[in-house]
C-alpha cells in the first residue's frame, strides 16, 4: 500500500511539473505596462521613468529559471541586464514566547534563538499565474511556494515610473506562536555576474570578481545593498529599509547581505541577496511573528541600471535620502531615547574625552537637528548618593552643552523606572539637578552654592510637582512592551498621567510583523485608546538603542520627529521651544521616506481643536513627499468608544513624488482624528491628533 502511494505521488509531481500553467489576465488593465503570454513565457514591459523602458520575461517551465531575461533601455534598444535567475528564499522557523506578562503578541523580551529552530529552502514549483493591475503597479502572482508548515505563492510587483521591482514569497501558516526569519536573493545555476559590488561601512565602493569555486560569504555593507554588475548594466538588490530589521537593543551591522555558491547549504548555484543573523545582538532577540492564517511577505527589492554598480547604488541611496532625514522648511528633526552612556563610560571614566565623539558625528550625518539622550539607564546613580549623582548630572550637562552648536542640539535626558511605574522618559527645558530618592529628613528642594536648586524626589506626587515647577515632560517608553508591559494602562487614572506634564507615549516598531503593510501598530493603537479615554495625549518616536557607531546599521533602526520650528534654540538659553512643540502636538513622526510637510482639516492643524457642525462634513488637506511609491493613507478617528478607519488607496503614485491631497471626511460625533501614510516598503509617517468639538 505504501509503495502504491509513493508511485501515485511521483506521477502527481511529474504531471504538475510538466503541465502548461494557466495565466489569468482578467485582472490586468492598461496602466502603461504591457503583458504578453506565449505558452509558458510571460513578458511584461513597463515604463521606467527617466531610465526608459524595463522588460521582464518570466518562464513558468519548472525546468528553466523563472527570470529568463531582465532588460532596461531607451526606446526599443533594450539591453539585457541579466538572465537565467531564480528567486531563492530561506525560511528559518522557531518558536515565539507570547507571554501575557511580557506583552503577549507585542512581547519583546524573548530569546527565540535559544530555543530549537530550523532553516528550510522555500520550494517553488511554478504552477498557475495571475497578472493583475493595482494602479501604477503590475503584479504577477505564481502559485506553488511552500516550506515546512508554510504555504503560499510567489509575487513579483513592477512599479511604473521606475526600474524597480519587488520579489516576495507570500506565505501563511496556521501554527500559532511561530517565529520566523528569512534570507532571500537571486540565484543562477549557470552564469556568474561579471563582478559583485557593495559599499563598505566607510562609504567606499568594493568589488569582487566571482569564480565558480566561490562559496557564499556574508558581507558587511552600508546602505543594505548588494549589486551584481554585467557588461550591459547592474542590478542592485536590497531589503525594505526598516521593515526587514526586527527590533533589537543594538544596531550592530550583522552582515545583512551575501553572495556566492550554495548559500546556507540550502540554495545551490551562485547567488546574491539579503540575510538576517538568527542570534541578533545576543540580548533579547524576538525575530518576526504574525497571527496564524495571515499572509507574511518575505520580500526584497531590485533596481536596474544600465550603468555600473556605483551608479546603481546612487539610485538606491535616493530612496532613503542617503540614509539621512531630509530637511523640511519650517521643521527641525528630533530623535530620542539613546543609551550610549557617554557620560559614565567616557566623560567620567578617566579615559581621554574626544573633542568630536563618534556618536555625535553619526547622528549629525543622519540629518538630525536635535537628539535627546536617555542616560544613566543601568550605569550611574539615579537614586544617589548625592555626591555621585550630582557629579554625573554635572558631567552630562557639560558634555551636552559642549557638543551642541548652532545647527545641532544635544539634550540631556533620562529613562526612569521608579515613581510612576514601568519605564518612562523625563525631559526638562534646561539642566535640572534632581535625585530619584528622598530621605525623610531631606527637603524637597534645596539650594546648592555651586549648582543652584537640587531636588530630591520620593514619590509620584513629588515627581509631578517637579515636572510642573520646571515645565518638564514625561512619557511612557516602549509602552505595552518591554519594561513597560501593562503601562500606561495601569496608571491611566492617576493624576500625574492626566496632567499636562505627561505627554503620552513613544513609538518604535515593536513587534515586527510581516503580515501588515505598515510598521508596528502597537503604540498607534495606544494613541487612539488614550484619545478615546478622553485624554489629549501625543506620541513621539523613539530609537531606544545603545551603541552608536559609523559601522552600525543605524538608519534601519532610526525614526524621527519633525518638530514645527523655524530655528533651533540656543543651549545656553534653554530649549523650551522644543518642549512646547512636542507638548502642543506640533510635529509628525516619520521613518524618513514619507514626509508630511503640511496637514490640516478645515484649516486646523495637529494639536488644535476643530469645531464641526451637525453635518460632520470636513476636508482633510495633506501634503505628502515620498521616495518609494506610496501605498495608502488612512484617516483614523474616534468617538470616545469606537475607532474608525478610512483607507485611501495611493497606488496611482510613482516613485519620488510630492503632492497635496484633499479628501472629504464625515466627522459627525467624532472627538478626534489623525492621519497615517505608508509606502510600498512599509515606510511611513503619522500626524498627531486634531481634537473635535461637535
Amino acid at each position: 500500500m505504501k509503495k502504491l502511494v509513493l508511485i501515485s505521488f511521483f506521477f502527481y509531481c511529474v504531471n504538475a511539473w510538466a503541465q502548461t500553467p494557466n495565466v489569468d489576465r482578467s485582472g490586468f488593465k492598461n496602466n502603461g505596462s504591457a503583458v504578453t503570454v506565449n505558452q509558458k513565457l510571460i513578458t511584461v514591459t513597463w515604463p521606467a521613468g527617466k531610465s526608459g523602458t524595463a522588460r521582464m520575461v518570466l518562464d513558468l517551465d519548472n525546468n528553466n529559471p523563472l527570470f529568463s531575461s531582465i532588460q532596461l533601455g531607451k526606446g526599443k534598444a533594450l539591453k539585457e541586464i541579466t538572465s537565467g535567475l531564480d528567486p531563492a528564499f530561506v525560511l528559518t522557523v522557531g518558536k515565539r514566547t507570547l507571554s501575557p506578562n511580557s506583552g503577549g503578541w507585542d512581547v519583546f523580551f524573548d530569546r527565540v534563538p535559544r530555543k530549537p529552530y530550523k532553516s528550510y529552502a522555500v520550494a517553488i514549483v511554478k504552477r498557475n499565474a495571475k497578472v493583475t493591475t493595482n494602479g501604477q503597479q503590475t503584479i504577477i502572482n505564481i502559485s506553488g511556494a511552500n516550506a515546512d508548515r508554510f504555504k503560499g505563492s510567489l509575487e513579483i510587483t513592477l512599479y511604473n515610473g521606475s526600474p524597480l521591482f519587488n520579489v516576495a514569497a507570500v506565505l501563511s501558516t496556521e501554527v500559532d506562536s511561530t517565529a520566523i526569519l528569512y534570507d532571500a536573493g537571486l540565484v543562477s545555476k549557470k552564469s556568474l555576474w561579471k563582478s559583485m559590488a557593495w559599499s563598505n561601512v566607510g562609504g567606499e565602493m568594493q568589488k569582487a570578481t566571482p569564480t565558480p569555486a566561490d562559496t557564499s560569504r556574508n558581507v558587511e555593507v552600508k546602505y543594505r545593498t548588494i549589486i551584481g554588475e554585467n557588461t550591459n548594466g547592474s542590478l542592485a538588490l536590497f531589503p525594505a529599509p526598516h521593515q526587514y530589521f526586527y527590533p533589537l537593543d543594538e544596531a550592530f551591522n550583522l552582515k545583512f547581505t551575501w553572495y556566492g555558491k550554495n548559500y546556507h547549504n540550502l540554495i545551490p548555484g551562485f547567488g546574491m541577496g539579503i540575510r538576517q543573523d538568527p542570534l541578533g545582538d545576543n540580548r533579547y532577540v524576538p525575530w518576526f511573528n504574525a497571527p496564524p492564517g495571515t499572509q507574511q511577505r518575505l520580500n526584497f527589492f531590485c533596481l536596474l541600471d544600465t550603468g555600473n554598480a556605483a551608479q546603481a547604488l546612487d539610485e538606491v541611496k535616493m530612496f532613503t535620502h542617503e540614509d539621512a532625514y531630509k530637511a523640511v522648511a519650517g521643521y527641525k528633526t528630533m530623535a530620542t531615547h539613546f543609551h550610549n552612556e557617554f557620560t559614565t563610560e567616557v566623560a567620567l571614566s578617566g579615559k581621554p574625552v574626544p573633542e568630536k565623539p563618534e556618536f555625535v558625528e553619526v547622528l549629525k550625518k543622519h540629518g538630525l537637528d536635535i537628539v535627546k539622550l536617555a542616560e544613566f539607564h543601568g550605569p550611574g546613580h539615579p537614586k544617589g548618593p548625592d555626591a555621585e549623582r550630582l557629579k554625573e548630572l554635572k558631567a552630562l550637562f557639560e558634555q551636552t552643552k559642549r557638543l551642541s552648536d548652532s545647527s545641532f542640539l544635544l539634550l540631556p535626558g533620562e529613562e526612569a523606572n521608579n515613581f510612576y511605574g514601568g519605564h518612562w522618559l523625563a525631559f526638562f527645558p534646561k539642566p535640572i539637578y534632581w535625585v530619584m530618592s528622598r530621605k525623610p529628613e531631606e527637603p524637597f528642594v534645596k539650594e546648592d552654592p555651586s549648582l543652584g536648586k537640587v531636588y530630591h524626589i520620593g514619590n509620584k506626587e513629588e515627581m509631578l510637582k517637579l515636572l510642573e515647577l520646571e515645565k518638564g515632560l514625561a512619557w511612557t517608553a516602549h509602552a505595552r512592551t518591554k519594561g513597560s508591559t501593562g503601562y500606561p494602562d495601569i496608571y491611566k487614572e492617576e493624576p500625574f498621567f492626566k496632567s499636562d506634564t505627561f505627554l503620552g507615549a513613544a513609538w518604535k516598531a515593536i513587534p515586527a510583523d510581516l503580515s501588515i503593510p505598515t510598521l508596528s501598530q502597537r503604540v498607534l493603537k495606544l494613541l487612539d485608546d488614550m484619545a478615546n479615554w478622553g485624554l489629549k495625549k501625543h506620541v513621539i518616536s523613539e530609537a531606544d538603542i545603545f551603541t552608536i557607531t559609523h559601522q552600525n546599521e543605524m538608519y534601519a533602526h532610526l525614526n524621527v520627529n519633525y518638530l514645527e520650528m523655524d530655528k533651533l534654540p540656543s543651549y545656553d538659553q534653554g530649549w523650551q521651544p522644543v518642549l512646547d512643540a512636542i507638548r502642543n502636538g506640533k510635529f509628525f513622526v516619520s521613518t524618513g521616506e514619507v514626509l508630511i510637510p503640511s496637514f490640516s482639516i478645515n484649516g486646523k492643524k495637529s494639536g488644535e481643536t476643530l469645531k464641526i457642525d451637525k453635518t460632520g462634513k470636513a476636508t482633510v488637506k495633506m501634503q505628502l513627499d515620498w521616495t518609494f511609491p506610496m501605498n495608502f493613507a488612512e484617516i483614523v478617528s474616534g468617538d470616545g468608544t469606537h475607532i474608525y478607519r478610512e483607507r485611501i488607496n495611493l497606488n496611482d503614485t510613482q516613485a519620488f513624488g510630492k503632492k497635496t491631497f484633499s479628501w472629504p471626511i464625515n466627522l459627525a460625533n467624532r472627538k478626534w482624528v489623525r492621519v497615517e501614510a505608508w509606502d510600498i516598503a512599509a515606510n511611513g509617517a503619522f500626524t498627531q491628533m486634531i481634537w473635535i468639538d461637535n
Side-chain angles (χ1 to χ4, degrees):
M1 181 65 182
K2 184 176 181 181
K3 185 176 181 180
L4 181 61
V5 170
L6 289 174
I7 292 172
S8 299
F9 179 72
F10 171 76
F11 281 109
Y12 168 80
C13 291
V14 169
N15 183 59
W17 199 270
Q19 67 180 347
T20 300
N22 175 57
V23 180
D24 180 359
R25 286 183 286 171
S26 61
F28 178 78
K29 299 178 181 178
N30 184 8
N31 66 350
S33 62
V35 176
T36 61
V37 178
N38 182 7
Q39 295 185 336
K40 295 184 179 182
L41 294 179
I42 304 174
T43 300
V44 187
T45 305
W46 76 98
K50 65 179 183 180
S51 299
T53 301
R55 177 174 296 152
M56 180 180 292
V57 182
L58 300 172
D59 192 336
L60 299 184
D61 189 327
N62 281 295
N63 295 304
N64 300 327
L66 175 64
F67 294 104
S68 178
S69 180
I70 301 176
Q71 307 164 21
L72 182 67
K74 301 289 179 69
K76 295 183 179 180
L78 301 187
K79 297 179 180 180
E80 184 172 78
I81 306 299
T82 186
S83 63
L85 297 177
D86 271 311
F89 296 87
V90 173
L91 180 64
T92 301
V93 182
K95 179 71 174 175
R96 203 77 160 86
T97 301
L98 302 182
S99 168
N101 294 330
S102 297
W105 197 255
D106 293 331
V107 63
F108 174 83
F109 287 153
D110 199 357
R111 292 183 169 95
V112 174
R114 294 191 182 182
K115 300 183 283 286
Y117 64 89
K118 186 175 180 180
S119 296
Y120 305 86
V122 176
I124 301 173
V125 179
K126 295 174 284 189
R127 296 193 179 103
N128 297 324
K130 180 184 294 186
V131 184
T132 58
T133 302
N134 182 20
Q136 293 295 303
Q137 305 169 24
T138 302
I139 303 165
I140 305 98
N141 186 281
I142 303 168
S143 61
N146 67 86
D148 185 48
R149 67 204 68 175
F150 287 82
K151 295 181 180 180
S153 60
L154 184 72
E155 194 167 272
I156 301 160
T157 306
L158 317 174
Y159 304 97
N160 285 357
S162 176
L164 178 73
F165 63 93
N166 181 269
V167 182
V170 185
L171 303 177
S172 180
T173 179
E174 296 299 327
V175 181
D176 198 6
S177 306
T178 300
I180 67 166
L181 291 180
Y182 76 93
D183 307 343
L186 297 174
V187 178
S188 173
K189 294 179 181 178
K190 295 182 180 179
S191 61
L192 301 178
W193 293 93
K194 182 180 178 182
S195 61
M196 304 303 306
W198 62 91
S199 168
N200 66 16
V201 293
E204 303 164 324
M205 287 299 296
Q206 308 293 305
K207 280 194 177 183
T209 301
T211 70
D214 285 344
T215 55
S216 73
R217 55 173 290 202
N218 303 330
V219 189
E220 183 181 74
V221 306
K222 190 172 177 63
Y223 306 113
R224 303 158 298 280
T225 303
I226 189 81
I227 305 164
E229 189 179 67
N230 279 334
T231 302
N232 287 335
S234 304
L235 184 150
L237 192 154
F238 56 98
H242 302 281
Q243 182 197 44
Y244 186 61
F245 298 85
Y246 61 86
L248 295 170
D249 284 329
E250 295 281 9
F252 296 148
N253 191 318
L254 300 173
K255 298 184 177 180
F256 296 109
T257 64
W258 62 273
Y259 76 88
K261 287 182 63 179
N262 197 27
Y263 177 69
H264 217 299
N265 294 319
L266 289 171
I267 305 297
F270 186 96
M272 65 172 183
I274 57 174
R275 64 175 294 274
Q276 281 285 8
D277 189 320
L279 302 182
D281 58 15
N282 288 305
R283 292 166 63 93
Y284 293 102
V285 185
W287 292 12
F288 299 99
N289 64 287
T294 56
Q295 293 188 324
Q296 301 185 56
R297 287 182 56 84
L298 287 53
N299 74 97
F300 60 91
F301 288 91
C302 295
L303 189 74
L304 307 174
D305 196 288
T306 54
N308 61 24
Q311 291 173 272
L313 183 60
D314 285 342
E315 295 294 319
V316 172
K317 287 155 60 175
M318 291 174 62
F319 284 99
T320 60
H321 307 295
E322 298 193 26
D323 282 11
Y325 292 98
K326 179 181 176 180
V328 177
Y331 291 87
K332 297 298 178 184
T333 56
M334 175 181 174
T336 74
H337 202 154
F338 295 95
H339 293 303
N340 53 310
E341 304 295 354
F342 182 78
T343 305
T344 54
E345 296 185 8
V346 179
L348 295 175
S349 68
K351 303 174 186 176
V353 179
E355 180 182 352
K356 296 181 178 180
E358 183 179 15
F359 84 94
V360 173
E361 296 303 305
V362 171
L363 296 171
K364 284 183 175 181
K365 192 172 182 179
H366 283 293
L368 298 174
D369 302 316
I370 308 166
V371 171
K372 178 195 175 299
L373 300 176
E375 296 279 83
F376 314 132
H377 189 62
H381 302 80
K383 296 183 180 181
D386 282 16
E388 294 295 331
R389 168 66 170 171
L390 299 180
K391 179 177 69 174
E392 289 164 356
L393 284 175
K394 186 172 186 293
L396 172 63
F397 300 149
E398 288 173 348
Q399 292 299 321
T400 49
K401 178 180 178 179
R402 179 180 75 86
L403 297 169
S404 296
D405 54 41
S406 59
S407 61
F408 180 74
L409 205 53
L410 184 65
L411 299 180
E414 297 182 70
E415 181 178 3
N417 57 5
N418 47 351
F419 308 133
Y420 285 171
H423 292 192
W424 53 278
L425 270 74
F427 191 28
F428 293 101
K430 62 182 180 180
I432 298 294
Y433 287 93
W434 61 298
V435 184
M436 299 185 197
S437 66
R438 185 171 69 82
K439 299 174 183 176
E441 68 277 9
E442 282 184 312
F444 169 70
V445 59
K446 62 182 179 182
E447 286 288 333
D448 182 278
S450 61
L451 303 177
K453 289 181 180 179
V454 175
Y455 294 92
H456 283 83
I457 309 302
N459 54 47
K460 58 189 176 184
E461 289 80 13
E462 291 175 352
M463 189 67 235
L464 173 57
K465 184 178 179 182
L466 170 60
L467 289 167
E468 290 174 337
L469 288 172
E470 296 294 351
K471 299 180 180 180
L473 279 176
W475 59 84
T476 309
H478 41 75
R480 292 178 172 175
T481 191
K482 300 182 77 171
S484 295
T485 299
Y487 297 97
D489 306 67
I490 293 172
Y491 51 59
K492 69 178 183 178
E493 299 299 332
E494 293 274 6
F496 71 79
F497 183 71
K498 291 185 174 182
S499 80
D500 291 340
T501 68
F502 208 98
L503 178 74
W507 175 86
K508 179 181 177 175
I510 304 173
D513 183 341
L514 297 173
S515 73
I516 60 176
T518 72
L519 297 179
S520 172
Q521 292 286 316
R522 169 184 52 91
V523 174
L524 293 175
K525 291 176 181 176
L526 171 62
L527 177 59
D528 302 337
D529 287 344
M530 291 188 295
N532 270 353
W533 296 343
L535 303 173
K536 293 185 176 181
K537 301 298 180 185
H538 303 295
V539 160
I540 68 170
S541 70
E542 63 180 352
D544 194 7
I545 52 179
F546 288 71
T547 311
I548 303 173
T549 70
H550 288 294
Q551 184 180 20
N552 279 4
E553 178 46 69
M554 291 297 299
Y555 185 75
H557 295 275
L558 284 177
N559 45 54
V560 76
N561 304 283
Y562 277 84
L563 308 185
E564 196 172 326
M565 299 174 61
D566 290 326
K567 64 179 182 178
L568 282 182
S570 162
Y571 189 102
D572 286 333
Q573 299 300 315
W575 44 93
Q576 187 67 56
V578 175
L579 276 77
D580 289 344
I582 297 171
R583 191 191 309 268
N584 295 323
K586 299 297 183 183
F587 65 98
F588 67 89
V589 172
S590 174
T591 58
E593 300 78 9
V594 181
L595 302 174
I596 309 175
S598 67
F599 163 66
S600 66
I601 301 180
N602 287 10
K604 296 296 183 181
K605 300 164 67 174
S606 292
E608 298 179 351
T609 300
L610 169 66
K611 179 71 175 178
I612 288 285
D613 61 26
K614 292 182 180 180
T615 67
K617 292 182 179 179
T619 301
V620 176
K621 288 189 176 180
M622 184 180 222
Q623 185 182 84
L624 292 177
D625 184 327
W626 63 87
T627 57
F628 288 90
M630 291 301 299
N631 190 0
F632 66 91
E634 196 161 56
I635 303 171
V636 187
S637 61
D639 60 10
T641 303
H642 300 100
I643 296 168
Y644 306 87
R645 297 178 178 274
E646 183 169 328
R647 182 166 294 194
I648 297 145
N649 199 331
L650 298 178
N651 56 29
D652 276 327
T653 58
Q654 297 184 1
F656 304 105
K658 187 174 184 178
K659 182 179 178 179
T660 299
F661 297 90
S662 181
W663 303 307
I665 183 74
N666 192 304
L667 296 173
N669 302 314
R670 307 293 164 83
K671 297 184 179 298
W672 54 268
V673 61
R674 63 178 183 86
V675 182
E676 302 174 19
W678 300 91
D679 69 20
I680 52 94
N683 309 304
F686 60 87
T687 73
Q688 299 304 299
M689 301 296 189
I690 291 178
W691 313 106
I692 300 174
D693 181 9
N694 284 284

